[in-house]
mmCIF file of all heavy atoms in Angstrom:
data_model
loop_
_atom_site.group_PDB
_atom_site.id
_atom_site.type_symbol
_atom_site.label_atom_id
_atom_site.label_comp_id
_atom_site.label_asym_id
_atom_site.label_seq_id
_atom_site.Cartn_x
_atom_site.Cartn_y
_atom_site.Cartn_z
ATOM 1 N N ALA Z 1 -27.993 36.633 -4.597
ATOM 2 C CA ALA Z 1 -26.646 37.017 -5.049
ATOM 3 C C ALA Z 1 -25.630 36.537 -4.016
ATOM 4 O O ALA Z 1 -25.987 36.227 -2.870
ATOM 5 C CB ALA Z 1 -26.551 38.521 -5.236
ATOM 6 N N ILE Z 2 -24.373 36.476 -4.426
ATOM 7 C CA ILE Z 2 -23.282 36.130 -3.514
ATOM 8 C C ILE Z 2 -22.116 37.083 -3.771
ATOM 9 O O ILE Z 2 -22.024 37.699 -4.838
ATOM 10 C CB ILE Z 2 -22.825 34.660 -3.667
ATOM 11 C CG1 ILE Z 2 -22.376 34.375 -5.108
ATOM 12 C CG2 ILE Z 2 -23.923 33.701 -3.235
ATOM 13 C CD1 ILE Z 2 -21.814 32.972 -5.313
ATOM 14 N N ILE Z 3 -21.235 37.191 -2.780
ATOM 15 C CA ILE Z 3 -20.065 38.060 -2.899
ATOM 16 C C ILE Z 3 -18.807 37.196 -2.949
ATOM 17 O O ILE Z 3 -18.573 36.385 -2.048
ATOM 18 C CB ILE Z 3 -19.968 39.039 -1.712
ATOM 19 C CG1 ILE Z 3 -21.211 39.922 -1.649
ATOM 20 C CG2 ILE Z 3 -18.718 39.909 -1.836
ATOM 21 C CD1 ILE Z 3 -21.274 40.810 -0.412
ATOM 22 N N LEU Z 4 -18.020 37.363 -4.011
ATOM 23 C CA LEU Z 4 -16.790 36.586 -4.191
ATOM 24 C C LEU Z 4 -15.654 37.500 -4.630
ATOM 25 O O LEU Z 4 -15.870 38.448 -5.401
ATOM 26 C CB LEU Z 4 -16.984 35.488 -5.238
ATOM 27 C CG LEU Z 4 -17.929 34.332 -4.889
ATOM 28 C CD1 LEU Z 4 -18.202 33.486 -6.117
ATOM 29 C CD2 LEU Z 4 -17.340 33.475 -3.774
ATOM 30 N N GLU Z 5 -14.448 37.211 -4.146
ATOM 31 C CA GLU Z 5 -13.267 37.958 -4.555
ATOM 32 C C GLU Z 5 -12.789 37.441 -5.911
ATOM 33 O O GLU Z 5 -13.093 36.314 -6.302
ATOM 34 C CB GLU Z 5 -12.171 37.778 -3.496
ATOM 35 C CG GLU Z 5 -11.206 38.944 -3.378
ATOM 36 C CD GLU Z 5 -10.078 38.873 -4.382
ATOM 37 O OE1 GLU Z 5 -9.684 37.748 -4.750
ATOM 38 O OE2 GLU Z 5 -9.585 39.934 -4.794
ATOM 39 N N ASP Z 6 -12.050 38.266 -6.658
ATOM 40 C CA ASP Z 6 -11.576 37.891 -8.000
ATOM 41 C C ASP Z 6 -10.913 36.513 -8.023
ATOM 42 O O ASP Z 6 -11.178 35.693 -8.910
ATOM 43 C CB ASP Z 6 -10.571 38.931 -8.513
ATOM 44 C CG ASP Z 6 -11.251 40.128 -9.152
ATOM 45 O OD1 ASP Z 6 -12.485 40.111 -9.295
ATOM 46 O OD2 ASP Z 6 -10.538 41.090 -9.498
ATOM 47 N N ALA Z 7 -9.999 36.281 -7.069
ATOM 48 C CA ALA Z 7 -9.260 35.017 -7.054
ATOM 49 C C ALA Z 7 -10.185 33.832 -6.813
ATOM 50 O O ALA Z 7 -9.981 32.747 -7.368
ATOM 51 C CB ALA Z 7 -8.166 35.067 -5.982
ATOM 52 N N GLN Z 8 -11.212 34.021 -5.991
ATOM 53 C CA GLN Z 8 -12.186 32.942 -5.749
ATOM 54 C C GLN Z 8 -12.959 32.615 -7.023
ATOM 55 O O GLN Z 8 -13.217 31.443 -7.321
ATOM 56 C CB GLN Z 8 -13.134 33.351 -4.625
ATOM 57 C CG GLN Z 8 -12.439 33.495 -3.275
ATOM 58 C CD GLN Z 8 -13.295 34.175 -2.226
ATOM 59 O OE1 GLN Z 8 -14.173 34.972 -2.552
ATOM 60 N NE2 GLN Z 8 -13.039 33.860 -0.963
ATOM 61 N N LEU Z 9 -13.281 33.646 -7.785
ATOM 62 C CA LEU Z 9 -13.946 33.419 -9.072
ATOM 63 C C LEU Z 9 -13.039 32.667 -10.043
ATOM 64 O O LEU Z 9 -13.495 31.815 -10.808
ATOM 65 C CB LEU Z 9 -14.372 34.752 -9.688
ATOM 66 C CG LEU Z 9 -15.689 35.344 -9.184
ATOM 67 C CD1 LEU Z 9 -15.865 36.758 -9.693
ATOM 68 C CD2 LEU Z 9 -16.877 34.477 -9.604
ATOM 69 N N SER Z 10 -11.735 32.976 -9.990
ATOM 70 C CA SER Z 10 -10.780 32.282 -10.860
ATOM 71 C C SER Z 10 -10.719 30.796 -10.520
ATOM 72 O O SER Z 10 -10.597 29.948 -11.415
ATOM 73 C CB SER Z 10 -9.383 32.903 -10.717
ATOM 74 O OG SER Z 10 -9.386 34.239 -11.148
ATOM 75 N N ILE Z 11 -10.808 30.481 -9.240
ATOM 76 C CA ILE Z 11 -10.805 29.079 -8.820
ATOM 77 C C ILE Z 11 -12.045 28.365 -9.347
ATOM 78 O O ILE Z 11 -11.973 27.237 -9.850
ATOM 79 C CB ILE Z 11 -10.741 28.973 -7.277
ATOM 80 C CG1 ILE Z 11 -9.404 29.514 -6.760
ATOM 81 C CG2 ILE Z 11 -10.914 27.525 -6.818
ATOM 82 C CD1 ILE Z 11 -9.340 29.652 -5.260
ATOM 83 N N ILE Z 12 -13.203 29.019 -9.246
ATOM 84 C CA ILE Z 12 -14.449 28.423 -9.753
ATOM 85 C C ILE Z 12 -14.349 28.191 -11.261
ATOM 86 O O ILE Z 12 -14.744 27.136 -11.768
ATOM 87 C CB ILE Z 12 -15.651 29.335 -9.423
ATOM 88 C CG1 ILE Z 12 -15.848 29.417 -7.912
ATOM 89 C CG2 ILE Z 12 -16.925 28.818 -10.093
ATOM 90 C CD1 ILE Z 12 -16.813 30.496 -7.476
ATOM 91 N N GLU Z 13 -13.784 29.164 -11.973
ATOM 92 C CA GLU Z 13 -13.631 29.020 -13.423
ATOM 93 C C GLU Z 13 -12.748 27.819 -13.758
ATOM 94 O O GLU Z 13 -13.010 27.090 -14.718
ATOM 95 C CB GLU Z 13 -13.034 30.293 -14.012
ATOM 96 C CG GLU Z 13 -12.894 30.253 -15.524
ATOM 97 C CD GLU Z 13 -12.296 31.521 -16.081
ATOM 98 O OE1 GLU Z 13 -11.725 32.324 -15.306
ATOM 99 O OE2 GLU Z 13 -12.374 31.714 -17.317
ATOM 100 N N GLU Z 14 -11.702 27.600 -12.957
ATOM 101 C CA GLU Z 14 -10.765 26.508 -13.211
ATOM 102 C C GLU Z 14 -11.331 25.157 -12.799
ATOM 103 O O GLU Z 14 -11.143 24.162 -13.494
ATOM 104 C CB GLU Z 14 -9.470 26.780 -12.435
ATOM 105 C CG GLU Z 14 -8.371 25.756 -12.692
ATOM 106 C CD GLU Z 14 -7.093 26.115 -11.961
ATOM 107 O OE1 GLU Z 14 -6.396 27.055 -12.393
ATOM 108 O OE2 GLU Z 14 -6.793 25.464 -10.947
ATOM 109 N N GLU Z 15 -12.045 25.123 -11.683
ATOM 110 C CA GLU Z 15 -12.492 23.847 -11.116
ATOM 111 C C GLU Z 15 -13.917 23.463 -11.494
ATOM 112 O O GLU Z 15 -14.284 22.287 -11.425
ATOM 113 C CB GLU Z 15 -12.381 23.900 -9.578
ATOM 114 C CG GLU Z 15 -10.998 24.235 -9.047
ATOM 115 C CD GLU Z 15 -9.991 23.142 -9.321
ATOM 116 O OE1 GLU Z 15 -10.415 22.014 -9.666
ATOM 117 O OE2 GLU Z 15 -8.774 23.403 -9.193
ATOM 118 N N ASN Z 16 -14.761 24.437 -11.860
ATOM 119 C CA ASN Z 16 -16.178 24.136 -12.116
ATOM 120 C C ASN Z 16 -16.700 25.049 -13.223
ATOM 121 O O ASN Z 16 -17.501 25.966 -12.984
ATOM 122 C CB ASN Z 16 -16.974 24.326 -10.826
ATOM 123 C CG ASN Z 16 -18.366 23.734 -10.904
ATOM 124 O OD1 ASN Z 16 -18.877 23.466 -11.988
ATOM 125 N ND2 ASN Z 16 -18.996 23.536 -9.753
ATOM 126 N N LYS Z 17 -16.256 24.789 -14.454
ATOM 127 C CA LYS Z 17 -16.598 25.667 -15.573
ATOM 128 C C LYS Z 17 -18.098 25.698 -15.859
ATOM 129 O O LYS Z 17 -18.643 26.719 -16.272
ATOM 130 C CB LYS Z 17 -15.836 25.224 -16.830
ATOM 131 C CG LYS Z 17 -14.363 25.620 -16.798
ATOM 132 C CD LYS Z 17 -13.708 25.405 -18.136
ATOM 133 C CE LYS Z 17 -12.254 25.888 -18.099
ATOM 134 N NZ LYS Z 17 -11.581 25.702 -19.402
ATOM 135 N N GLU Z 18 -18.759 24.573 -15.638
ATOM 136 C CA GLU Z 18 -20.199 24.501 -15.910
ATOM 137 C C GLU Z 18 -20.956 25.505 -15.041
ATOM 138 O O GLU Z 18 -21.830 26.227 -15.521
ATOM 139 C CB GLU Z 18 -20.703 23.082 -15.638
ATOM 140 C CG GLU Z 18 -22.171 22.882 -15.998
ATOM 141 C CD GLU Z 18 -22.647 21.462 -15.744
ATOM 142 O OE1 GLU Z 18 -21.795 20.569 -15.577
ATOM 143 O OE2 GLU Z 18 -23.872 21.262 -15.695
ATOM 144 N N THR Z 19 -20.604 25.558 -13.773
ATOM 145 C CA THR Z 19 -21.237 26.522 -12.864
ATOM 146 C C THR Z 19 -20.809 27.942 -13.204
ATOM 147 O O THR Z 19 -21.631 28.879 -13.185
ATOM 148 C CB THR Z 19 -20.875 26.204 -11.399
ATOM 149 O OG1 THR Z 19 -21.386 24.913 -11.069
ATOM 150 C CG2 THR Z 19 -21.461 27.235 -10.449
ATOM 151 N N TYR Z 20 -19.532 28.113 -13.519
ATOM 152 C CA TYR Z 20 -19.010 29.442 -13.812
ATOM 153 C C TYR Z 20 -19.756 30.089 -14.980
ATOM 154 O O TYR Z 20 -19.998 31.306 -14.973
ATOM 155 C CB TYR Z 20 -17.520 29.355 -14.127
ATOM 156 C CG TYR Z 20 -16.862 30.689 -14.357
ATOM 157 C CD1 TYR Z 20 -16.503 31.505 -13.288
ATOM 158 C CD2 TYR Z 20 -16.605 31.151 -15.653
ATOM 159 C CE1 TYR Z 20 -15.907 32.736 -13.490
ATOM 160 C CE2 TYR Z 20 -16.010 32.380 -15.870
ATOM 161 C CZ TYR Z 20 -15.670 33.170 -14.784
ATOM 162 O OH TYR Z 20 -15.083 34.401 -14.996
ATOM 163 N N GLU Z 21 -20.136 29.301 -15.948
ATOM 164 C CA GLU Z 21 -20.843 29.836 -17.118
ATOM 165 C C GLU Z 21 -22.271 30.255 -16.802
ATOM 166 O O GLU Z 21 -22.916 30.942 -17.596
ATOM 167 C CB GLU Z 21 -20.818 28.802 -18.242
ATOM 168 C CG GLU Z 21 -19.431 28.620 -18.848
ATOM 169 C CD GLU Z 21 -19.367 27.475 -19.850
ATOM 170 O OE1 GLU Z 21 -20.407 26.799 -20.023
ATOM 171 O OE2 GLU Z 21 -18.295 27.259 -20.438
ATOM 172 N N LYS Z 22 -22.790 29.863 -15.639
ATOM 173 C CA LYS Z 22 -24.167 30.203 -15.263
ATOM 174 C C LYS Z 22 -24.255 31.498 -14.459
ATOM 175 O O LYS Z 22 -25.349 31.980 -14.178
ATOM 176 C CB LYS Z 22 -24.782 29.063 -14.436
ATOM 177 C CG LYS Z 22 -24.974 27.765 -15.197
ATOM 178 C CD LYS Z 22 -25.555 26.691 -14.282
ATOM 179 C CE LYS Z 22 -25.726 25.366 -15.034
ATOM 180 N NZ LYS Z 22 -26.264 24.303 -14.151
ATOM 181 N N ILE Z 23 -23.107 32.048 -14.073
ATOM 182 C CA ILE Z 23 -23.115 33.227 -13.215
ATOM 183 C C ILE Z 23 -22.519 34.435 -13.928
ATOM 184 O O ILE Z 23 -21.832 34.307 -14.934
ATOM 185 C CB ILE Z 23 -22.340 32.960 -11.902
ATOM 186 C CG1 ILE Z 23 -20.881 32.601 -12.189
ATOM 187 C CG2 ILE Z 23 -23.015 31.857 -11.098
ATOM 188 C CD1 ILE Z 23 -20.026 32.365 -10.951
ATOM 189 N N GLU Z 24 -22.808 35.621 -13.385
ATOM 190 C CA GLU Z 24 -22.246 36.850 -13.946
ATOM 191 C C GLU Z 24 -22.035 37.877 -12.842
ATOM 192 O O GLU Z 24 -22.696 37.852 -11.796
ATOM 193 C CB GLU Z 24 -23.151 37.421 -15.030
ATOM 194 C CG GLU Z 24 -24.505 37.884 -14.542
ATOM 195 C CD GLU Z 24 -25.350 38.488 -15.652
ATOM 196 O OE1 GLU Z 24 -24.783 38.761 -16.729
ATOM 197 O OE2 GLU Z 24 -26.555 38.704 -15.431
#
C-alpha cells in the first residue's frame, strides 16, 4: 500500500489515468 494526499491523487488522475484506474 502507499499513502497519498487527496491533491496528489488528483494529479495522478489527471496525468496518468491508466494507473489511477488500477488503484483504490
